[in-house]
């Protein structure tokens, strides 16, 4: 009964944290979809749109990029207006093609940004002009924002949490995030996940500790949320109860 209780608790934590991240991503999508209806943007007045987007995003550490079908950046609020903008690197996901084909927002995995020069992820929406969607409006974000969301989520003492992308690459972690970002999820955990949408396993974490580990897959992002605690932390309440009983 105690183990079942611990497993339920672990899964509840993973689900709640996943919902927190989904809310953040949904807010980003809503912001992008609002910006994508700008008259300046659809009219091709990119200088005005750059100023509008900077103003709209000034209260957040968010940046937007407009990328056309050829992969050419047309607007990038990371840079001053008038700066020569690059072609999107072939190593980046083909966001304009993806959102044009699906006609839906898209959330990427971790990748190295052409301008950022470091690991980021992106959320993209199609920019519609009439019946066509010739470009994508993209918000690129640092994994540190995901770390903030995790740590704002009220993780219990002694517990840890992490997010991995569709490629099973660690995107964010509630502790020692910089050390582990970009690392692959341990193969022992992947084997036990076994393609399930959620579950609870006992495994060895990145730091080599034997842990009770819950995971939950987000339908919105395709990412996996994990929450875990070393077995001594999980089992401490049971040991305390036995001590009182004896």
């Amino acid at each position: 009964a105690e183990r079942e209780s611990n497993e339920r608790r672990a899964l509840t934590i993973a689900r709640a944290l996943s919902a927190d991240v989904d809310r953040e991503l949904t807010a980003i999508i809503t912001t992008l979809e609002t910006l994508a209806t700008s008259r300046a943007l659809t009219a091709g007045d990119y200088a005005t749109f750059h100023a509008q987007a900077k103003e709209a995003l000034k209260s957040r550490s968010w940046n937007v990029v407009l990328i056309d079908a050829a992969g050419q950046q047309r607007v990038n609020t990371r840079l001053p207006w008038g700066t020569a903008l690059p072609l999107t690197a072939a190593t980046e996901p083909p966001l304009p093609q993806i959102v044009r084909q699906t006609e839906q927002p898209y959330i990427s995995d971790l990748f190295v940004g052409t301008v950022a020069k470091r690991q980021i992820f992106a959320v993209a929406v199609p920019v519609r002009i009439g019946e066509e969607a010739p470009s994508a409006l993209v918000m690129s974000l640092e994994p540190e924002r995901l770390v903030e969301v995790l740590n704002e989520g009220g993780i219990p003492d002694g517990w840890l949490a992490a997010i991995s992308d569709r490629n099973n690459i660690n995107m964010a972690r509630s502790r020692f995030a910089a050390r582990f970002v970009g690392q692959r999820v341990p193969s022992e955990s992947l084997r036990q996940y076994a393609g399930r949408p959620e579950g609870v396993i006992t495994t060895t974490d990145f730091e080599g500790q034997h842990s009770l580990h819950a995971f939950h897959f987000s339908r919105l992002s395709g990412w996996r949320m994990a929450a875990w605690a070393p077995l001594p932390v999980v089992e401490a309440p049971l040991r305390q109860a036995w001590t009182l009983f004896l």
Side-chain angles (χ1 to χ4, degrees):
E2 183 72 21
R3 179 173 178 83
E4 289 178 3
S5 175
N6 287 330
E7 290 184 354
R8 283 196 301 271
R9 183 187 187 204
L11 195 52
T12 297
I13 295 167
R15 288 170 177 166
L17 291 171
S18 185
D20 289 342
V21 173
D22 282 357
R23 274 191 293 274
E24 177 80 1
L25 294 172
T26 299
I28 291 167
I29 290 169
T30 300
T31 300
L32 283 171
E33 289 180 332
T34 301
L35 287 171
T37 64
S38 161
R39 290 183 180 179
L41 176 57
T42 55
D45 182 358
Y46 297 147
T48 298
F49 175 72
H50 184 279
Q52 288 176 344
K54 287 285 285 185
E55 179 66 21
L57 301 173
K58 67 181 181 181
S59 65
R60 305 292 298 264
S61 58
W62 290 349
N63 291 286
V64 294
V65 184
L66 180 68
I67 307 174
D68 68 18
Q72 176 64 52
Q73 295 188 12
R74 296 295 180 183
V75 175
N76 190 327
T77 61
R78 282 183 185 271
L79 302 171
W81 174 250
T83 304
L85 298 176
L87 269 171
T88 301
T91 52
E92 290 197 19
L95 299 172
Q97 289 88 336
I98 292 170
V99 297
R100 187 175 70 243
Q101 290 167 5
T102 64
E103 298 184 345
Q104 297 291 328
Y106 177 76
I107 300 164
S108 82
D109 296 319
L110 208 60
F111 65 92
V112 176
T114 304
V115 172
K117 307 292 187 193
R118 56 184 174 275
Q119 297 203 88
I120 58 175
F121 67 96
V123 182
V125 301
V127 176
R128 295 183 177 87
I129 300 176
E131 298 298 312
E132 298 295 316
S135 56
L137 191 61
V138 179
M139 191 176 289
S140 54
L141 297 110
E142 317 289 340
E144 287 78 11
R145 177 55 196 148
L146 297 176
V147 176
E148 291 171 1
V149 174
L150 290 180
N151 287 322
E152 290 164 2
I155 301 169
D157 289 344
W159 288 72
L160 296 165
I163 303 167
S164 56
D165 67 15
R166 300 175 191 83
N167 296 317
N168 298 310
I169 299 299
N170 190 60
M171 300 181 73
R173 198 172 186 274
S174 59
R175 189 174 73 185
F176 304 138
R179 185 196 306 178
F180 293 103
V181 68
Q183 290 194 25
R184 187 169 173 81
V185 173
S187 56
E188 179 188 348
S189 298
L190 292 178
R191 179 180 57 79
Q192 293 193 71
Y193 291 156
R196 293 177 290 162
E198 66 176 18
V200 182
I201 61 177
T202 302
T203 188
T204 304
D205 69 11
F206 277 111
E207 297 173 51
Q209 298 187 91
H210 211 44
S211 303
L212 184 71
H213 175 118
F215 63 93
H216 177 82
F217 176 85
S218 166
R219 292 189 197 176
L220 177 66
S221 64
W223 302 343
R224 185 188 298 105
M225 176 67 67
W228 71 95
L231 289 178
V233 172
V234 175
E235 294 167 354
L238 180 61
R239 286 201 305 273
Q240 290 167 3
W242 273 111
T243 301
L244 291 172
F245 180 74
L246 295 170

